[in-house]
Amino acid sequence: MQYFIDTANLESIKKISDIFPIAGVTTNPTIIAKEKRDFKEIINDIFDIIGKDKIVHAQAVGSTSEIMVKEVQLLRDTFGENFYTKIPVTPEGIKAIKILAKDGHKITATGILSPQQIIMAAEAGAEYMAPYINRSDNIGENGIEIVKDAYKILEMTKKTDEEKLSRYKRIFEPKILGASFKNVRQVHETILAGSKSVTVAPDVFEKLIYHPYTDWSMDTFNSDWEKIYGKKTLLDLL
Ligand SMILES: O=C(CO)[C@@H](O)[C@H](O)[C@H](O)[C@H](O)COP(=O)(O)O
């Protein structure tokens, strides 16, 4: 399972990565713009906090495939092997993914709101496909159904390692990266639908393990213990 934090806010990244077993950080142009700082510094600071063995995703912003291809080449040279460029599933984006994947680049297809967009991005050679669950639910569609359909079709169109090597110059499993969550239920249903990667904003992230009865249970344990042993911990008693 891979949990990503969907933010570029360094305080939030520090807080969450200190506690939770995260796979990395995802951002988008809106998330980056909120920080009002130099782009390169933001990404370097994120890697400094989470470690260079973790993954960072940030989005190409060019409006043509030619510019996106150049951006991705520059991003890989600047940030290294654990940087994934997000590319939107527009016609120009799919064209860019197709060109870049042939050269072994690591791509996350983004802005996904339909299963066909996932299949097309996967065929073009993206490794991660990021469907926007809440944005889909918001207009009366069903984000979870997108993930379910996508997994069925990805299974049907599975490629051998030889095919992957000849088409994309590297071997990887296509993955659904569930994104745009507004509550824990959406995250959980996305995982149940088969998605082993999700990216969650800090406010929802902290709620993933929250339960009032867990807090109540711990309060009760602590007060019962203190009645007999005071503030002593096992370090004092063993
Ligand atoms: O696409 C990725 C990760 O690949 C995310 O950063 C993605 O852009 C964000 O989760 C969404 O845009 C956030 O959506 P929302 O919470 O604003 O509806």
Side-chain angles (χ1 to χ4, degrees):
M1 186 67 216
Q2 293 184 307
Y3 285 103
F4 290 89
I5 320 172
D6 204 19
T7 185
N9 181 274
L10 299 187
E11 285 312 307
S12 299
I13 294 171
K14 265 186 212 136
K15 186 175 173 201
I16 290 173
S17 65
D18 193 37
I19 300 171
F20 296 99
I22 61 148
V25 166
T26 62
T27 67
N28 62 32
T30 306
I31 288 173
I32 293 283
K34 268 191 201 148
E35 301 309 305
K36 299 188 176 69
R37 292 205 296 132
D38 179 75
F39 173 77
K40 195 171 160 188
E41 271 180 27
I42 295 176
I43 303 298
N44 280 330
D45 287 348
I46 295 175
F47 270 122
D48 284 347
I49 295 170
I50 64 173
K52 300 231 172 349
D53 57 326
K54 301 276 190 327
I55 295 171
V56 175
H57 303 247
Q59 195 159 326
V61 293
S63 55
T64 65
S65 57
E66 286 77 18
I67 299 176
M68 284 188 249
V69 166
K70 286 185 187 146
E71 284 178 328
V72 172
Q73 286 159 343
L74 205 53
L75 285 162
R76 182 170 70 178
D77 294 346
T78 311
F79 299 118
E81 279 304 304
N82 282 334
F83 182 87
Y84 281 69
T85 307
K86 291 169 53 184
I87 299 193
V89 288
T90 56
E92 285 299 308
I94 295 288
K95 184 175 167 188
I97 295 172
K98 200 177 68 175
I99 295 167
L100 287 158
K102 269 191 205 140
D103 208 17
H105 283 278
K106 294 178 171 173
I107 303 297
T108 298
T110 194
I112 290 175
L113 284 140
S114 83
Q116 276 302 320
Q117 291 172 330
I118 293 185
I119 305 313
M120 204 59 85
E123 282 299 311
E127 178 171 340
Y128 287 94
M129 271 72 58
Y132 287 4
I133 306 301
N134 189 66
R135 290 192 189 190
S136 171
D137 290 353
N138 262 352
I139 56 160
E141 294 181 353
N142 188 335
I144 310 299
E145 290 303 317
I146 299 175
V147 178
K148 285 187 189 160
D149 281 2
Y151 268 110
K152 271 187 222 144
I153 305 171
L154 284 181
E155 190 55 37
M156 282 157 48
T157 56
K158 219 172 176 171
K159 295 178 181 52
T160 63
D161 286 355
E162 290 71 34
E163 278 175 298
K164 286 177 194 165
L165 268 180
S166 77
R167 285 176 70 157
Y168 313 130
K169 277 211 181 139
R170 62 191 193 97
I171 298 170
F172 58 87
E173 276 313 305
K175 304 169 193 55
I176 305 296
L177 170 61
S180 171
F181 296 111
K182 288 292 169 272
N183 58 57
V184 174
R185 183 85 231 151
Q186 289 171 332
V187 177
H188 190 62
E189 285 186 8
T190 298
I191 294 171
L192 280 183
S195 175
K196 288 197 224 104
S197 309
V198 288
T199 183
V200 185
D203 55 332
V204 180
F205 207 112
E206 297 197 47
K207 292 190 189 118
L208 290 175
I209 62 158
Y210 171 73
H211 198 290
Y213 272 127
T214 303
D215 291 353
W216 178 84
S217 302
M218 294 311 119
D219 288 345
T220 309
F221 291 155
N222 288 338
S223 72
D224 289 346
W225 174 268
E226 277 181 24
K227 278 176 211 153
I228 306 300
Y229 301 105
K231 291 285 178 201
K232 289 195 169 104
T233 70
L234 298 183
L235 297 182
D236 304 302
L237 301 179
L238 294 172

